[in-house]
Amino acid sequence: HSFAKFSLKLIYFLVLLRKIWQMKGFLDKFHELKIFTLDDAARIVKSKTYAMIILRGYIEESLVVKIRRNLYGVTNLATKHIEANRYEIASALTPTAYISYHSALEFYGMANQVFNTMYVASESRFNSFEFDGLSYIYAKSQTDIGIETPIMSYGIRVTSLERTVIDCIDRIDRCGGSEEMLQCFGMIMHISEAKLMEVLASYDKATLYKKAGFILSRFRGRFNLSDDFFQICRERANVGSKVLTSYEDCTEYDREWNLSYPDTFNSFDY
């Protein structure tokens, strides 16, 4: 009788030990992914129900954090803080997600300020949300031109520098305003004229050609842009008068581009 009880305890202990070993193995697999979905976890543990149970336990132990619905991230075992950075999280929000606007400039180290907002473009819509002190804001993907995955970036997807410049010109509000945009552009040392034109052509917006022509003419020497570039911008720009930002802010007028603009552009040191 005592031998039977001992055997049952031994079996229970071995089963428990096996489960602990399995869970450690699962956690190692999650660390390899860094960021993962419930389906990813289910593929690892071979059961969606079991995956939910395991994740619940990991979250209680601060080994895993829930970023948003159906998206999880592992934590550093020492600090218990999520291992993935803001750019890795942003790129994992949807299969087509990528970093854009001012957030892309921050990624390239060409932002004058670091904001607590992450602009994430995607072909599929997601609800904007907050996590770890940052707001992840959805932006509709306008084109698939100029999206890159930098080497050794752990799956980060971000707009190219040329695409980022054109996007910020298109939506200056998503670049922190005129002054911040000028400060950011002033940090850029080299840019491809051909790639700028490729992005403009993919948008094919007359007003954007006008805005790009006006703003980039200020950086003509720094960016080494040719006369042909601006000639194309003039030919494809709309003929009507436009405002660069808002009527309230645009107190100056440029005759060449038929464009009203903020006086910030006059005081900036190009």
Side-chain angles (χ1 to χ4, degrees), residues 16-28:
L16 182 62
L17 190 64
R18 182 172 180 270
K19 285 186 176 180
I20 292 172
W21 181 257
Q22 278 185 327
M23 289 187 71
K24 181 184 182 302
F26 295 152
L27 188 60
D28 289 342

Side-chain angles (χ1 to χ4, degrees), residues 79-196:
T79 65
K80 295 300 176 71
H81 191 268
I82 188 168
E83 287 197 340
N85 61 42
R86 60 171 68 189
Y87 306 111
E88 292 168 339
I89 293 171
S91 300
L93 294 181
T94 75
T96 59
Y98 57 93
I99 303 153
S100 58
Y101 299 101
H102 190 274
S103 304
L105 290 170
E106 291 179 35
F107 174 80
Y108 289 120
M110 295 177 181
N112 183 51
Q113 302 178 58
V114 176
F115 298 152
N116 61 355
T117 298
M118 286 293 298
Y119 287 108
V120 187
S122 172
E123 292 177 13
S124 56
R125 186 176 183 85
F126 66 86
N127 293 326
S128 300
F129 67 99
E130 291 189 6
F131 173 73
D132 203 22
L134 292 173
S135 297
Y136 291 81
I137 307 298
Y138 165 77
K140 184 179 179 181
S141 180
Q142 302 289 337
T143 176
D144 58 1
I145 297 294
I147 302 171
E148 299 180 347
T149 302
I151 298 172
M152 302 295 290
S153 65
Y154 202 85
I156 291 174
R157 283 161 49 87
V158 60
T159 51
S160 66
L161 188 56
E162 291 79 10
R163 165 79 186 272
T164 304
V165 166
I166 298 302
D167 282 351
C168 289
I169 291 172
D170 187 40
R171 291 294 303 268
I172 296 177
D173 58 314
R174 290 180 176 173
C175 193
S178 300
E179 185 174 354
E180 175 67 12
M181 181 188 68
L182 293 173
Q183 293 284 354
C184 294
F185 287 5
M187 298 181 189
I188 299 172
M189 301 304 296
H190 174 75
I191 202 163
S192 168
E193 177 178 314
K195 290 182 179 180
L196 284 173

Side-chain angles (χ1 to χ4, degrees), residues 177-178 243-252 260-264:
S178 300
V243 294
L244 189 61
T245 53
S246 66
Y247 285 101
E248 295 78 12
D249 293 337
C250 295
T251 57
E252 306 295 315
S260 298
Y261 62 94
D263 61 6
T264 307

